[in-house]
Structure formats: structure tokens, C-alpha cells
Amino acid sequence: MATENTFAFRGTYYHTPTYGRLDVLRDVVLVVQEGKIARIANGHEEAEVQVEFGLPEIRQLEAGQYFVPGFIDTHVHAPQYQFTGTGTDVPLMEWLRKYTFPAECSFQDLEAARHRYSLLVKRFLANGTTTAMYYGSLHLQPNLVLVDSIERLGQRAVVGKVNMDRHSPDDYIENTADGLRDAEEFVTYTLGKKCSRIQPCITPRFIPTCTPELMKGLAEIAQKYGCHIQSHISECCGEVNCVREMHPEYASDAAVFEEMGLLTKRTVMAHGTLLSDDDIRHLARRGTAVSHCPLSNFFLGDAFFKVNHAVSLGLKVGLGTDVAGGISPSMLSAQRMAVVNSRCIRAHKLAVSGGTTVTPEMEKDVITFKEALWLATVGGAQALDLADVVGTFEVGKDFDALLVDTNLSGTSGPFDVFEGEDDDQRFEKFINLGDDRNLIEVYVQGVCVKRGDEFLLDGSNGCVKAAEDSDRLMSAPTPVEPEAAYVDLAHRADSSDEAASLDVGTADEEGAPAPESEPPTKRSRF
């Protein structure tokens, strides 16, 4: 007997169970029951399925409509969404000081935070991101607002309160003990919601802003509660050189994280463009994943991430927009940039060769839209330890899915379809040319959370008292940059040894860590 939580669609479904291969389920009936895929049958079995599940009807998709698994964004800085698309003029370390820290600090205005985070989650859902791994901000309360917003609007997410107790602005730094206390309180608050869609995450921002004491304490909390862990690893020359200066006893970022106990099967490290093969193999042994963020790597990184190579070494790899280092919240854009990234590696190898012959070795790093879609679905599910839950259309998995409509034409849609084009061509056009206009319905755990322009679970009217407050909330005061001296991690983009000039001494006495002892001269790897 059917319940209101049982329904079915008949149509075509695209997914990528295997890396590099696009599978198509043509003319099948897919039944969703209590949020999970209960049956996948051939279209000619429709009457039988309808009787079996007591369905009054089975919805037939229109020609040119297809389902694809919901996109999984493995790296998003939630409070940075406010300035996405701006601040592209400086290297990473200066970017943090000039734009990121002041913007994140402003989320202490909780009314503004509620409004901004509502817009954030809606924007990501509208772009087909059914699951996101979010970095929050430093202060506890805004992160609780973020969790509440995600819960209310129906998205699936892994969320973390950012921790940082050294080399940060005077007004955006925490005492180590306070940071550990707030991190655990955030975890218990999130778990206390008992919402299967939302999981807490331990989030040391990155090595330069986290003392060993903080990182080890966070690792203990993660172990205590079985939490995810997220941070940044080997992402650009400035960051890597800074870590080498601060921790000369370790050979790499990976070695530091290993010593701190932060490499687990539920850890996702962003970027990794400067990881050595030894580092990659070690992360793979630990079950740790890397979030490939091609768009932000172009803006703030200094190298390309070789996806095929990393996968061949056994590394789990997902895909991330890295808002706001990445200037687009769209996972379709991230997929396209992943393809472009791979072809840039090919072009670089050709240029270095000095010749005009493309060899097989130059081609081995190239990926297509098929591999990119895998990264955005299956790869993300593997990275977030959700491979048994989402990422493909299989019986027993949750129905996290996007209904794609390729029938939009003229200026009402992002691309045109011409006579004679088949389903596969239409779908490839969507991946390469489509946008949120093509996503007419978004499902998470079998619940339609967005249909057309309407967010079906949003009963808050935007979380503001009146519409006229909107502009004020989005422009809530951002603190001015502090005049007091603090460690400036900005680096010179034209210097390979800029870290040698960085002041990595203590920050202000108030809320700052005490000087660390002189490190041993031996450089250990793992």
C-alpha cells in the first residue's frame, strides 16, 4: 500500500558509477519510498510496479527531461559567499587578511547571519548542490545559525566551526582552550538535532593559524564523536613555505597533519596542488580525501591538481567550488573548470617539451565531462564517507536528485537544442552549457526542496522582519582592518622563498598562544 512518502518517475536517468564512464538508465521506473530508492524497473513493468507499491500514478517525464544525482560540493566557505565574485586581485595570504577575515568576523551580527545563510543555502540548492561540506566562521553562534538554516531548507551537509588560535587578526582569533570548548559545543549541538542530513565537522582552518596544541585537541574531539575533519593542505607556495618556516621538523603539510592525528578516513583536505606522490600515497593509506577546487586554484593557487594521477595512486577525490576563493557557487562551473584544469596540464607539458607533438604521456592527465560528473557525484560521496548513501541511482540509496529540463529555448534557457539531437547530446549540452534554469526540481532524501523558483520548505519569508531590511542585512558592518600589529602572512607572488621573510613569532598577548619551543632540526616525514 502506498503512502504519501512513496512516489515514482518513469524516464531516463544519467549517472557515473564508474570513473570515466557515463551510464544511462533509459525508460526505467524508479520508485522512491521513505526517501530511499526502493525499486528500479524497466518501463514496460510500470503496471506491475504500480500495483506492487499501490501507486495511484507514476509520473512520466517529458521528452528532454532527465534525472541526474545531486551534486556534492566538498569545499565551501559559507561566510565568504557574501563577497563571492570579488577580491580576486591578491595572493592567498593577503586575500585572507584583506577580505576573508573581516567578512567572516562580521557574521557576529546574528540577524545578518540568518539572512545571508538563508541566501547561501538557497543559491547552492538552486545550482543543484544537494550536499555541501561547509566551513563556518570562528565564533560559535553564527555557526549554529548556519546549521539551523541548512536544516530548515532541506539540504544535506557536513558543517564545521572554524578554529584558529595563532597568526590571525587581533579581533579574529581564539584562545586555544576556548576554541576546543566551542568546537565540542558545536559538535554536540549539531548531533543533538538528530537530523540525518547534517553532520558536524572538526575544522582547523590550516596549519599557519592553528597551534599543535589546538590541532591535537581537535583530533581528540573528532575521535570522540566520530566526526569528519576538514582543512587545507599544500595549496600554494605561500602557504607551503610558511609551514616550512614554522615547522622545519616536518617534511610537508601531510606530515604535520599526520603527527596531529588529523588524517582519517573521514578527513577531506582542500586543494593539495603541491602534494608529493609520497604525500598522496600516505593520504590514500589513511583514507583521507582531497577536494579538487580548480577554479580557486587558478586564482589563489600556484599549481594544477592532477586528478587522474591522484586517483591512480588510490586517493579519494571530490570536487569543490571553494566559494569565495572560487568565484562561482555552481558545481556545473566546477566540473567545467576541472576539465579545463586537466587540459592546462596537457598544454603545459607540450610547452615544456618545446615541440609540436602531443604524446600519450601528455594526454594522461586529461579528463572529460564524464570524469568531472563523477567527481561531482560519486567522488564527493566517497570523500564524505557517503558512498553507500548518495552519488548514484541504486536501490537502497537516498534519492538525492536533480530533474533536468533541456527544453528551454531562446533567451529563456542557456542553450538551444536542434533537430536530430538525441538524449545523450542534450545531456552533454546541459553539463557543458546548462545552468540553474535547467534544474526545475531538486530532491534531497526523497523530498522536493525546490521546484521552479520556490523553495518548498522555506516558511520563514527570508528570515527577516521586513523586505526593506534586506539591503541593510547584506551590508551589515564589516569591521575595519585592525591597526594593531599582527603577523602578516601575505606573500610575494614572485618569490619562491617568501616564507623566509615571514614573521612567525607570537601574536598579541591577549588571546594569543605562547611562543613555541625551538623545533628539532630533524625533518621527519610520517
Side-chain angles (χ1 to χ4, degrees):
M1 180 66 71
T3 69
E4 62 176 310
N5 295 322
T6 303
F7 54 91
F9 299 97
R10 180 175 178 176
T12 298
Y13 301 74
Y14 285 91
H15 65 167
T16 52
T18 303
Y19 185 66
R21 192 183 78 203
L22 181 67
D23 284 6
V24 190
L25 306 176
R26 300 188 193 277
D27 188 26
V28 302
V29 176
L30 186 148
V31 180
V32 179
Q33 190 169 52
E34 301 296 332
K36 295 184 179 295
I37 300 173
R39 177 81 183 273
I40 300 177
N42 291 324
H44 63 77
E45 299 177 273
E46 177 177 345
E48 175 187 327
V49 171
Q50 191 168 353
V51 172
E52 177 184 349
F53 288 90
L55 295 166
E57 63 177 355
I58 291 178
R59 179 176 166 186
Q60 174 74 54
L61 300 187
E62 298 178 11
Q65 292 183 343
Y66 322 102
F67 270 111
V68 64
F71 299 144
I72 301 170
D73 191 336
T74 55
H75 191 57
V76 184
H77 288 273
Q80 295 177 20
Y81 174 63
Q82 179 189 3
F83 68 94
T84 302
T86 67
T88 60
D89 57 333
V90 292
L92 174 65
M93 299 303 197
E94 175 66 12
W95 180 80
L96 292 170
R97 183 194 68 80
K98 185 176 181 180
Y99 300 109
T100 300
F101 294 155
E104 292 185 6
C105 190
S106 74
F107 274 71
Q108 292 178 87
D109 180 337
L110 297 185
E111 189 178 2
R114 289 186 187 94
H115 182 65
R116 295 170 184 172
Y117 281 148
S118 178
L119 294 178
L120 162 84
V121 176
K122 288 179 180 179
R123 179 66 63 182
F124 275 75
L125 285 172
N127 278 286
T129 300
T130 53
T131 301
M133 192 173 207
Y134 286 119
Y135 284 60
S137 56
L138 180 74
H139 304 100
L140 176 61
Q141 292 303 318
N143 294 298
L144 307 186
V145 170
L146 174 58
V147 170
D148 293 344
S149 300
I150 295 165
E151 180 186 33
R152 176 174 57 81
L153 290 166
Q155 193 181 36
R156 187 190 301 274
V158 178
V159 193
K161 172 218 166 311
V162 167
N163 285 95
M164 40 199 285
D165 67 341
R166 67 174 174 183
H167 306 325
S168 303
D170 294 338
D171 62 348
Y172 200 58
I173 190 171
E174 62 191 350
N175 174 275
T176 304
D178 291 343
L180 292 173
R181 179 201 64 213
D182 287 353
E184 185 163 14
E185 185 173 340
F186 173 79
V187 168
T188 57
Y189 176 85
T190 305
L191 292 175
K193 285 185 166 292
K194 300 187 184 302
C195 177
S196 59
R197 289 183 287 102
I198 306 176
Q199 301 180 46
C201 184
I202 292 302
T203 310
R205 185 176 211 110
F206 67 161
I207 295 169
T209 58
C210 298
T211 63
E213 180 185 0
L214 177 64
M215 288 188 278
K216 289 179 178 178
L218 291 172
E220 291 175 0
I221 295 172
Q223 183 177 26
K224 179 179 178 180
Y225 294 96
C227 291
H228 288 79
I229 299 169
Q230 62 182 345
S231 191
H232 302 77
I233 193 168
S234 301
E235 62 176 302
C236 70
C237 295
E239 178 270 326
V240 168
N241 290 333
C242 183
V243 172
R244 286 177 178 172
E245 176 72 14
M246 297 168 72
H247 295 285
E249 71 275 27
Y250 297 106
S252 66
D253 285 16
V256 176
F257 283 123
E258 169 67 18
E259 180 68 18
M260 304 305 147
L262 291 168
L263 299 182
T264 76
K265 69 175 184 178
R266 306 197 87 190
T267 297
V268 178
M269 291 288 176
H271 306 294
T273 56
L274 297 175
L275 288 169
S276 69
D277 283 1
D278 284 344
D279 289 335
I280 292 174
R281 291 188 184 97
H282 186 75
L283 295 184
R285 286 194 295 269
R286 289 293 187 219
T288 294
V290 164
S291 174
H292 176 35
C293 305
L295 189 51
S296 64
N297 290 343
F298 282 126
F299 280 98
L300 298 173
D302 295 307
F304 301 117
F305 185 75
K306 299 178 181 179
V307 175
N308 284 344
H309 181 65
V311 171
S312 74
L313 295 180
L315 186 68
K316 295 188 296 187
V317 182
L319 191 63
T321 59
D322 192 18
V323 162
I327 59 173
S328 170
S330 168
M331 282 294 284
L332 285 170
S333 176
Q335 291 172 64
R336 296 160 193 162
M337 288 300 102
V339 175
V340 171
N341 171 86
S342 74
R343 300 198 71 84
C344 286
I345 298 172
R346 174 186 181 276
H348 172 72
K349 289 180 177 179
L350 179 62
V352 169
S353 75
T356 59
T357 301
V358 177
T359 66
E361 194 280 333
M362 295 175 186
E363 294 281 7
K364 69 181 183 180
D365 292 304
V366 174
I367 69 172
T368 70
F369 80 94
K370 300 174 184 178
E371 288 86 0
L373 179 59
W374 184 93
L375 292 171
T377 53
V378 178
Q382 291 179 354
L384 299 186
D385 199 24
L386 292 171
D388 294 333
V389 181
V390 293
T392 58
F393 295 118
E394 298 179 56
V395 171
K397 288 191 175 183
D398 287 3
F399 188 66
D400 285 21
L402 313 175
L403 181 54
V404 177
D405 190 348
T406 63
N407 295 311
L408 306 179
S409 60
T411 57
S412 64
F415 60 88
D416 293 299
V417 175
F418 296 91
E419 183 178 355
E421 291 182 335
D422 60 20
D423 288 340
D424 293 350
Q425 290 171 310
R426 283 182 170 220
F427 183 76
E428 185 176 357
K429 276 193 170 184
F430 161 69
I431 294 295
N432 289 321
L433 299 171
D435 60 28
D436 58 303
R437 288 171 289 181
N438 297 111
L439 302 176
I440 60 174
E441 292 177 8
V442 177
Y443 291 82
V444 180
Q445 276 189 343
V447 176
C448 185
V449 297
K450 179 183 179 293
R451 178 177 291 119
D453 294 328
E454 183 180 4
F455 293 88
L456 303 181
L457 304 184
D458 181 21
S460 68
N461 295 320
C463 290
V464 291
K465 295 178 181 179
E468 57 267 24
D469 290 338
S470 179
D471 290 341
R472 179 186 64 80
L473 291 169
M474 283 304 290
S475 60
T478 297
V480 296
E481 296 177 15
E483 295 181 1
Y486 68 93
V487 176
D488 185 357
L489 296 179
H491 72 287
R492 300 192 306 274
D494 60 345
S495 174
S496 60
D497 61 350
E498 66 254 274
S501 66
L502 291 176
D503 177 8
V504 294
T506 60
D508 244 315
E509 291 183 1
E510 183 178 353
E516 296 173 1
S517 59
E518 187 71 22
T521 56
K522 181 179 178 180
R523 289 172 60 82
S524 58
R525 181 167 291 279
F526 299 113

